[in-house]
Amino acid sequence: MTKTLATLILSSLLAASAFAAESDKDTKEDVARHRAIAAAHENAAKCREAGKGEDLCVKELQAACKGLAIGKYCGMKHEH
């Protein structure tokens, strides 16, 4: 019985460790995506500050966000 219990505990620890490693990888990828989206939005704001037209800035935003976020506005749209 003790050997079986030890095996179960070890298996549980290994599974938890594998899950934690995968979660850490997923978290790092998620953080990187958020930073890339934030950088694209910051560049869109700078584009508008520079006096460039909304259409041009939206096109640049869309190009920068391709594959990062959902939708035409890089996962974020606000009221105008």
Side-chain angles (χ1 to χ4, degrees):
M1 182 75 167
T2 305
K3 193 174 189 180
T4 303
L5 182 60
T7 301
L8 285 173
I9 291 171
L10 181 59
S11 296
S12 296
L13 290 173
L14 289 173
S17 175
F19 178 75
E22 184 62 31
S23 292
D24 188 46
K25 179 184 174 205
D26 290 342
T27 298
K28 287 179 183 179
E29 288 173 358
D30 191 41
V31 167
R33 271 192 305 274
H34 280 290
R35 287 195 171 126
I37 292 168
H41 280 275
E42 179 64 23
N43 288 335
K46 288 177 181 177
C47 180
R48 294 295 284 145
E49 280 180 332
K52 296 178 183 174
E54 184 175 355
D55 289 341
L56 174 66
C57 295
V58 168
K59 284 181 185 177
E60 289 179 4
L61 176 66
Q62 290 169 343
C65 281
K66 190 169 185 159
L68 284 176
I70 297 171
K72 166 176 174 176
Y73 297 99
C74 194
M76 184 170 123
K77 183 176 179 182
H78 54 87
E79 233 179 300
H80 274 257

